[in-house]
Amino acid sequence: MKRCLDEAYPNAHCELDFTTPLELLVAVILSAQCTDQRVNEVTPALFARYRTAAAYAGADRIELEELIRPTGFYRNKATSLMGLGAALVERHDGEVPGTLADLVRLPGVGRKTANVVLGEAFDVPGITVDTHFGRLVRRWGWTSDEDPVKVENEVGELIPRKEWTMLSHRVIFHGRRVCHARKPACGACPLAVDCPSYGTGPTEFEVAAKLVKGAERDHLLSLVHDAS
């Protein structure tokens, strides 16, 4: 199944736009309960206004909330960003730390966020257990656990450490494009032959193909055709 994912999504990547570790950290915090696309619409103005951790620490709350309002839960997120800025200034001279232990002690940062930042900004392998990842690996029988930390550990035992970051991207890509929560495109899925949950969604190719999303759609459908 991993080899199929590698072939299906050779160019999988973090879909949040950023240029620095701080921008990535902020974007991941904003992505909670929000699409990456919406976050990417908000962050250009946000990043132009707040360029440093100190800027977030000293932000005008009303202005910050207004900038991030479209991402939802903007009051809580503003609190997290202001607290994050203050913590980075106080503990790390305004720089984003490069260890899991330091990252998870920051306001608004859990293991999922920390693993994204480590993998993308510091090239430290990590497994990102977001909603898509957890749902898919349970569907595939890689784990039966619901706890994200246990899922991370169990999947980590199956896959070489150096491949954790790309695995995360590819599983998340697949969850967004093919293996949807309510109606997965089973009949147009390149992993179908190995999937124990095959049949959860429509199995007829023509029906399932209409459910496949994203720029990779033609490539994904060609893999299924070639296999058949």
Side-chain angles (χ1 to χ4, degrees):
M1 296 181 83
K2 182 201 166 295
R3 285 196 295 271
C4 288
L5 287 170
D6 293 347
E7 185 179 6
Y9 307 102
N11 301 312
H13 56 276
C14 177
E15 295 188 278
L16 293 168
D17 296 334
F18 69 96
T19 59
T20 67
L22 177 62
E23 289 183 355
L24 175 60
L25 185 52
V26 169
V28 178
I29 289 173
L30 293 178
S31 71
Q33 304 297 312
C34 181
T35 65
D36 289 357
Q37 180 180 355
R38 178 59 58 85
V39 173
N40 290 339
E41 293 169 358
V42 166
T43 49
L46 183 71
F47 294 162
R49 179 68 181 85
Y50 305 103
R51 297 183 181 277
T52 65
Y56 285 102
D60 177 273
R61 171 177 283 276
I62 294 176
E63 179 185 44
L64 178 58
E65 287 182 356
E66 199 57 35
L67 281 169
I68 66 174
R69 180 189 289 266
T71 68
F73 302 97
Y74 61 94
R75 291 191 178 91
N76 289 339
K77 290 178 181 179
T79 298
S80 292
L81 293 182
M82 294 173 72
L84 172 69
L88 289 175
V89 170
E90 292 169 8
R91 304 176 200 168
H92 304 288
D93 296 322
E95 299 298 320
V96 176
T99 69
L100 182 67
D102 284 336
L103 284 167
V104 296
R105 293 191 185 102
L106 297 170
V109 180
R111 287 183 69 93
K112 182 191 82 171
T113 298
N115 278 325
V116 173
V117 173
L118 289 174
E120 294 302 305
F122 297 101
D123 202 26
V124 175
I127 293 175
T128 303
V129 184
D130 73 348
T131 303
H132 297 291
F133 190 98
R135 171 167 52 81
L136 267 60
V137 295
R138 283 187 288 273
R139 270 185 180 167
W140 297 340
W142 292 14
T143 179
S144 59
D145 221 298
E146 296 281 343
D147 179 79
V149 176
K150 292 181 180 178
V151 171
E152 182 183 332
N153 291 333
E154 289 189 20
V155 174
E157 292 178 359
L158 301 174
I159 305 295
R161 186 174 185 271
K162 65 181 181 180
E163 300 186 39
W164 286 355
T165 298
M166 282 307 300
L167 173 76
S168 299
H169 290 323
R170 287 170 177 149
V171 173
I172 292 168
F173 261 51
H174 194 64
R176 289 174 173 170
R177 289 152 176 78
V178 178
C179 197
H180 313 299
R182 295 182 181 176
K183 190 185 283 189
C186 292
C189 176
L191 279 70
V193 67
D194 296 307
C195 181
S197 297
Y198 178 75
T200 301
T203 57
E204 302 86 354
F205 176 79
E206 296 299 332
V207 176
K210 295 178 182 178
L211 301 173
V212 179
K213 302 177 181 179
E216 302 84 0
R217 183 176 187 274
D218 290 345
H219 169 63
L220 295 171
L221 297 180
S222 73
L223 292 176
V224 178
H225 266 307
D226 292 345
S228 61

